[in-house]
């Protein structure tokens, strides 16, 4: 199964993915119910691998462990993810273990699950400048290292139509 995490309005998302097979994809969209990560670490200590916040997003770590590919569609906010997408990624921390590993002289969390997924990030926005692109590239690269991913790709789209065309072109692989 693949996962699509997006911050698009329902009608915009539906115009890109008209006939999406919901058996093949898990769609994570903003239903305005996601809560912020509390930083309580109970997902590591008390309920390993599962968030204790019951808002419909408590199984993200396990969902990530089953994905072959995760596609993120996010408006670019100063070289980062939109608030909703950032909350989803924060709440996926149960995907990792509380223990550490050293990679390239950097400390990273150990991985709870052996299966690795591919990450595809689509940032959209009319005025994404070079500095924001650099920041976003570094962010996605760091995310891929932290999550111990097999590969990642990143795209920047100025308009919704460009985003739609880019995702649909990549969508041949969906």
């Amino acid at each position: 199964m693949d996962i699509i995490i997006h911050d698009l309005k329902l009608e915009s998302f539906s115009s890109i993915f008209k006939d999406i097979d919901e058996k093949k994809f898990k769609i994570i969209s903003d239903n305005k119910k996601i809560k912020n990560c509390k930083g309580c670490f109970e997902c590591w200590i008390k309920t390993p691998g599962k968030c204790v916040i019951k808002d419909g997003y408590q199984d993200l770590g396990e969902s990530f462990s089953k994905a072959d590919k995760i596609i993120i569609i996010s408006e670019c906010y100063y070289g980062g993810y939109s608030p909703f997408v950032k909350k989803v990624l924060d709440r996926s921390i149960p995907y990792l273990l509380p223990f550490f590993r050293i990679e390239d002289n950097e400390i990273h969390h150990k991985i709870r699950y052996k299966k690795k997924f591919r990450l595809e990030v689509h940032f959209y926005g009319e005025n994404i400048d070079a500095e924001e692109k650099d920041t976003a590239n570094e962010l996605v690269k760091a995310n891929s290292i932290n999550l111990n991913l097999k590969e990642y790709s990143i795209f920047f789209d100025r308009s919704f139509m460009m985003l739609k065309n880019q995702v649909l072109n990549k969508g041949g692989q969906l």
Side-chain angles (χ1 to χ4, degrees):
M1 177 188 349
D2 292 344
I3 297 173
I4 300 174
I5 303 166
H6 73 92
D7 62 5
L8 299 170
K9 293 183 169 129
L10 182 59
E11 60 274 2
S12 298
F13 181 80
S14 296
S15 75
I16 295 175
F17 298 99
K18 289 181 177 110
D19 300 317
I20 193 160
D21 182 354
E22 293 193 23
K23 293 178 185 170
K24 187 178 175 191
F25 292 94
K26 176 176 182 148
I27 311 298
I28 300 174
S29 55
D30 191 357
N31 64 8
K32 307 295 183 210
K33 294 181 182 177
I34 191 169
K35 293 183 172 46
N36 290 323
C37 175
K38 302 188 300 183
C40 66
F41 304 116
E42 289 185 22
C43 62
W44 284 338
I45 300 163
K46 204 173 202 180
T47 59
K50 189 169 189 150
C51 182
V52 296
I53 302 170
K54 307 292 185 233
D55 61 359
Y57 296 91
Q58 61 268 18
D59 295 317
L60 290 171
E62 182 181 351
S63 294
F64 278 31
S65 76
K66 295 176 181 175
D68 294 314
K69 177 162 78 171
I70 295 180
I71 300 168
I72 295 175
I73 301 171
S74 176
E75 186 172 0
C76 189
Y77 278 70
Y78 305 103
Y81 302 110
S82 69
F84 169 73
V85 172
K86 175 72 167 90
K87 284 180 189 180
V88 170
L89 294 176
D90 288 349
R91 293 285 301 283
S92 70
I93 194 79
Y95 177 76
L96 304 170
L97 288 168
F99 312 110
F100 297 105
R101 64 185 164 87
I102 297 175
E103 185 172 319
D104 295 328
N105 293 321
E106 295 178 349
I107 296 175
H108 300 280
H109 284 280
K110 289 187 177 181
I111 301 303
R112 181 180 304 279
Y113 304 97
K114 291 184 181 184
K115 185 172 189 244
K116 295 182 180 186
F117 58 87
R118 292 186 326 268
L119 179 64
E120 182 178 303
V121 179
H122 294 265
F123 283 110
Y124 66 92
E126 291 182 21
N127 298 310
I128 304 172
D129 64 26
E131 188 175 359
E132 286 178 301
K133 285 182 180 180
D134 289 344
T135 301
N137 275 308
E138 289 300 316
L139 173 64
V140 174
K141 178 182 176 184
N143 291 156
S144 71
I145 293 169
N146 286 334
L147 295 171
N148 198 28
L149 303 182
K150 45 181 171 177
E151 61 184 84
Y152 73 93
S153 52
I154 184 170
F155 304 92
F156 296 95
D157 305 299
R158 285 188 308 260
S159 68
F160 178 73
M161 285 308 294
M162 286 180 67
L163 168 69
K164 180 177 177 178
N165 291 334
Q166 182 68 261
V167 173
L168 287 175
N169 288 338
K170 298 301 290 175
Q173 301 170 12
L174 299 177

